[in-house]
């Protein structure tokens, strides 16, 4: 894999900071299969006494040390994770279990600030932020209060994939390029930046790590597509919640008006349980106080509309066309639609949702304009709050990158165009109000489809731009793992979106899907590439 000056300073396992060392790494007999383990299955073992949290943490640490060199999914491991596990084991033995996440290790994306006491930094993939010291994000506090073990930080597309242009998803100056656990032969360097060999992003590290058994579950973030896209490419479930339900304080921002965080996991139950912890229940209605209560096995009371897979797809510049892949994806999508049609309470196909082109305002997608407009103010707020940092504003970050171009603006991707555009945008309220009104008007087409056709959700191809509507309309969207491409093994899936505050409806659809369609398959390609002692 291609490296960067900063990534070449990482350990052999491609980890920053503390690295556990195991003499028997290559011949160790695991106590359970990290590749298939879910939070739910681990809780059964913990409850029965067959496993301790310390044993679970150690097995995932071993997996990270064995396979992260190839995958590039984990950036740091927490040096105190085993101590935390011992505390939680003791609490369990005394009958004090904090909930479904108690004693289970979890990864968080490296743009989510963790407190100094956890022994890990927060870089967002930016070299300038190595060594910075933020206050911990409130969602980290929520995870700790729920009994989770923050066992590491996941790599990401640098600064939420909002640094420059023509940069591959899954790349950062701190960690280099990450790659799929599924794709045969790994990343194809002749592929396009979002092509079929790419993990997509920006929560790429979280998705890769969970799919490859380097963690049972993870928390990623999304501005537009950064949860659902990598989850689709990793055969995972995720939910990007209604905007505003998750506290994004001390998460490195792109645009506070769109940014949020969400769960990524192998099962719907795991995702529902983690969503339950992340969401502020005072800001929405959670059924019976628990999203898992929405889990079902039937489509009987679900009303579905779908988008035409011929029209709803990524553009050919971003995803380089492979004819056999295009054909297979269309066939798989139509077959899934057909099965849903036969099971759902009602079904409407080829909904006339306004096309992505309608978001264009004065020559640019209005949501992109707003992200650029918001960047300086939101980034200045975050950087200015840091207790220690080489840079304290977006302007200082841009200048630092220029001064340290060998590290920050590498030969492979020597631009920071989006950061520079954020600096140049200006403070005009009118320059924001017009694209905002335009974006909301286009996104309103989603609610119009829901009401006009009396449906609960809209389902679409996994590789499409429905996430832009979810960003602009602030409504929730989720991923549905479906199948795998014959030509390179890449997972494919569908997206499903519901109106604002209807996360429980998404959990219902996801669980009906999980009960109806073939179970997701574990990857095997990465197993050919262990770190050699």
């Amino acid at each position: 894999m291609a490296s960067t000056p900063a990534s070449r300073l990482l350990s052999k396992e491609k980890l920053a900071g503390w690295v556990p060392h195991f003499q028997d790494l290559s011949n160790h007999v695991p106590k359970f299969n990290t590749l298939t383990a879910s939070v739910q299955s681990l809780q059964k073992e913990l409850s029965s006494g067959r496993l301790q949290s310390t044993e679970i943490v150690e097995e995932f640490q071993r997996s990270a040390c064995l396979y992260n060199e190839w995958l590039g999914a984990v950036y740091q491991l927490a040096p105190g994770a085993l101590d935390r596990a011992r505390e939680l084991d003791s609490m369990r033995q005394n009958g004090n279990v904090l909930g479904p996440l108690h004693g289970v290790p979890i990864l968080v994306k490296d743009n989510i600030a963790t407190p100094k006491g956890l022994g890990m930094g927060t870089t967002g993939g930016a070299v300038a932020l190595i060594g910075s010291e933020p206050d911990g994000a409130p969602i980290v506090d929520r995870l700790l209060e729920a009994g989770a073990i923050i066992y590491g930080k996941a790599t990401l597309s640098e600064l939420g994939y909002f640094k420059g242009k023509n940069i591959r998803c899954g790349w950062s100056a701190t960690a280099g390029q990450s790659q799929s656990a599924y794709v045969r032969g790994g990343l194809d360097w002749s592929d396009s930046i979002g092509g079929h060999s790419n993990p997509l992003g920006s929560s790429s590290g979280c998705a890769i790590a969970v799919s490859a058994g380097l963690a049972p579950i993870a928390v990623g973030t999304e501005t537009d597509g950064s949860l659902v896209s990598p989850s689709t490419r990793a055969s995972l479930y995720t939910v990007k919640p209604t905007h505003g339900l998750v506290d994004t304080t001390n998460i490195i921002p792109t645009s506070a008006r769109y940014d949020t965080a969400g769960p990524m996991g192998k099962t719907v139950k795991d995702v529902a349980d983690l969503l339950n912890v992340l969401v502020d229940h005072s800001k929405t209605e959670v059924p019976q106080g628990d999203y898992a209560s929405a889990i079902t096995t039937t489509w009987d009371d679900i009303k579905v509309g779908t988008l035409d897979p011929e029209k709803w797809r990524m553009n050919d510049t971003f995803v380089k066309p492979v004819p056999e892949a295009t054909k297979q994806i269309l066939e798989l999508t139509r077959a899934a639609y057909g099965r849903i049609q036969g099971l759902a309470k009602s079904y409407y196909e080829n909904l006339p949702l306004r096309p992505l082109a309608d978001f264009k305002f004065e020559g640019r997608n209005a949501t992109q304009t707003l992200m650029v407009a918001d960047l300086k103010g939101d980034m200045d707020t975050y950087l200015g709050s840091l207790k220690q940092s080489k840079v304290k504003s977006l302007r200082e970050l841009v200048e630092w990158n220029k001064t340290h171009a060998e590290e920050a603006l590498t030969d492979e991707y020597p631009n920071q165009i989006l950061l520079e555009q954020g600096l140049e945008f200006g403070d005009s309220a009118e320059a924001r109000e017009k694209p905002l009104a335009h974006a909301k008007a286009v996104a309103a087409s989603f609610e119009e489809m829901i009401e006009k056709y009396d449906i609960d959700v809209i389902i679409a191809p996994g590789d499409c731009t429905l996430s832009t509507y979810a960003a602009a309309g602030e409504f929730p969207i989720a991923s549905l793992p479906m199948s795998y491409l014959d030509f390179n093994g890449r997972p494919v899936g569908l997206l499903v979106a519901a109106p604002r505050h209807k996360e429980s409806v998404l959990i219902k659809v996801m669980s009906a899907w999980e009960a109806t369609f073939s179970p997701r398959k574990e990857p095997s390609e990465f197993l050919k590439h262990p770190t050699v002692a």
Side-chain angles (χ1 to χ4, degrees):
M1 293 298 294
S3 61
T4 64
S7 72
R8 287 194 286 273
L9 299 177
L10 301 178
S11 72
K12 178 178 64 177
E13 299 85 358
K14 210 174 179 185
L15 294 168
W18 176 81
V19 180
H21 294 287
F22 303 101
Q23 297 297 322
D24 60 344
L25 189 62
S26 59
N27 57 15
H28 169 72
V29 178
K31 296 181 183 296
F32 64 93
N33 187 351
T34 59
L35 195 54
T36 59
S38 65
V39 174
Q40 189 176 14
S41 69
L42 292 172
Q43 285 295 352
K44 289 179 181 178
E45 298 299 296
L46 287 166
S47 297
S48 69
R50 289 188 292 268
L51 280 177
Q52 302 290 310
S53 290
T54 50
E55 295 172 313
I56 292 172
V57 168
E58 185 176 301
E59 291 295 349
F60 282 107
Q61 287 176 340
R62 286 176 177 275
S63 292
C65 288
L66 196 56
Y67 295 112
N68 193 62
E69 181 184 13
W70 168 260
L71 296 167
V74 180
Y75 183 61
Q76 302 174 86
L77 292 176
L82 278 174
D83 291 336
R84 165 79 169 163
R86 290 187 191 98
E87 293 174 7
L88 292 164
D89 280 337
S90 178
M91 291 176 65
R92 185 183 295 275
Q93 289 165 7
N94 292 326
N96 185 9
V97 177
L98 299 175
L101 302 184
H102 185 108
V104 174
I106 184 170
L107 277 179
V108 298
K109 187 175 175 180
D110 189 32
N111 63 344
I112 299 172
T114 46
K116 187 176 181 179
L118 290 184
M120 299 179 291
T122 303
T123 72
V127 179
L129 294 182
I130 294 174
S132 65
E133 186 183 335
D135 289 321
I139 61 168
V140 170
D141 294 336
R142 295 178 74 94
L143 291 168
L144 294 173
E145 290 165 5
I149 300 168
I150 310 294
Y151 120 100
K153 306 289 284 286
T155 61
L156 70 160
S157 306
E158 186 169 344
L159 296 176
Y161 202 56
F162 214 75
K163 175 189 181 182
K165 292 189 175 181
N166 299 316
I167 300 175
R168 280 184 177 84
C169 296
W171 182 91
S172 70
T174 57
Q177 181 69 49
S178 61
Q179 61 182 348
S180 169
Y182 286 90
V183 172
R184 291 190 293 276
L187 187 73
D188 177 359
W189 290 94
S190 67
D191 202 357
S192 58
I193 59 174
H196 292 300
S197 69
N198 190 279
L200 291 189
S202 63
S203 302
S204 41
C206 290
I208 296 164
V210 174
S211 71
L214 308 193
I217 200 163
V219 178
T221 66
E222 175 162 327
T223 308
D224 179 354
S226 291
L227 284 165
V228 293
S229 293
S231 291
T232 299
R233 294 283 178 101
S235 198
L236 298 180
Y237 292 97
T238 190
V239 174
K240 186 221 79 164
T242 300
H243 186 263
L245 298 191
V246 176
D247 191 339
T248 57
T249 303
N250 292 332
I251 296 176
I252 298 175
T254 297
S255 167
R257 78 173 74 241
Y258 295 142
D259 293 343
T260 190
M264 305 168 81
K266 294 189 284 283
T267 71
V268 177
K269 176 66 162 61
D270 285 0
V271 166
D273 286 340
L274 183 49
L275 183 66
N276 211 51
V277 172
L278 297 176
V279 163
D280 183 342
H281 291 219
S282 70
K283 295 183 178 180
T284 190
E285 291 184 9
V286 180
Q288 301 177 39
D290 186 347
Y291 284 116
S293 67
I295 290 175
T296 184
T297 59
T298 177
W299 295 82
D300 289 351
D301 64 346
I302 301 172
K303 297 177 288 185
V304 176
T306 57
L307 299 182
D308 185 349
E310 294 272 6
K311 297 178 180 177
W312 289 84
R313 51 193 292 268
M314 298 288 192
N315 69 63
D316 291 351
T317 301
F318 186 69
V319 179
K320 182 180 177 180
V322 176
E324 62 184 287
T326 302
K327 181 175 181 290
Q328 185 184 4
I329 291 171
L330 283 172
E331 291 172 349
L332 288 167
T333 303
R334 292 199 184 283
Y337 282 5
R339 192 166 184 189
I340 293 169
Q341 184 175 9
L343 295 169
K345 182 177 181 179
S346 66
Y347 179 87
Y348 196 97
E349 65 179 349
N350 298 340
L351 293 169
L353 183 67
R354 290 181 66 174
L356 181 71
D358 283 7
F359 276 104
K360 186 171 285 188
F361 178 81
E362 295 183 351
R364 186 177 194 169
N365 185 304
T367 61
Q368 288 283 315
T369 298
L370 290 164
M371 290 176 202
V372 169
D374 293 341
L375 184 62
K376 182 179 185 298
D378 293 341
M379 189 66 85
D380 283 355
T381 297
Y382 174 81
L383 294 175
S385 73
L386 296 175
K387 289 179 275 189
Q388 179 177 312
S389 178
K390 293 186 281 287
V391 296
K392 301 284 281 188
S393 69
L394 179 60
R395 185 170 301 281
E396 289 183 11
L397 173 60
V398 168
E399 291 305 317
W400 193 96
N401 287 345
K402 290 178 181 177
T403 304
H404 302 81
E406 183 179 350
E407 301 170 77
L409 302 174
T410 64
D411 291 341
E412 189 173 11
Y413 305 119
N415 81 88
Q416 52 180 339
I417 292 171
L418 294 175
L419 300 185
E420 291 168 345
Q421 288 179 351
L423 275 182
E424 297 164 0
F425 193 85
D427 300 321
S428 167
E430 184 179 0
R432 290 164 172 77
E433 290 167 0
K434 288 184 177 179
L436 177 61
H438 183 81
K440 284 185 173 294
V442 178
S445 174
F446 178 87
E447 293 277 6
E448 291 165 7
M449 295 295 102
I450 295 287
E451 294 173 9
K452 180 176 180 179
Y453 297 99
D454 186 27
I455 52 180
D456 298 315
V457 295
I458 294 177
I459 294 178
D463 276 10
C464 85
T465 53
L466 187 58
S467 62
T468 300
Y469 296 75
E474 302 183 355
F475 56 80
I477 187 169
S479 61
L480 303 171
M482 182 168 61
S483 191
Y484 308 84
L485 292 181
D486 292 337
F487 97 97
N488 74 347
R490 188 217 110 179
V492 294
L494 300 180
L495 302 179
V496 55
R500 285 169 51 82
H501 299 282
K502 297 295 183 182
E503 282 76 11
S504 59
V505 174
L506 291 184
I507 296 295
K508 181 190 292 187
V509 173
M510 293 160 71
S511 58
W513 174 277
E514 188 177 39
T516 304
F517 288 83
S518 299
R520 63 180 298 279
K521 296 178 182 178
E522 290 76 37
S524 59
E525 174 64 23
F526 78 102
L527 296 172
K528 303 173 185 175
H529 306 280
T531 293
V532 178

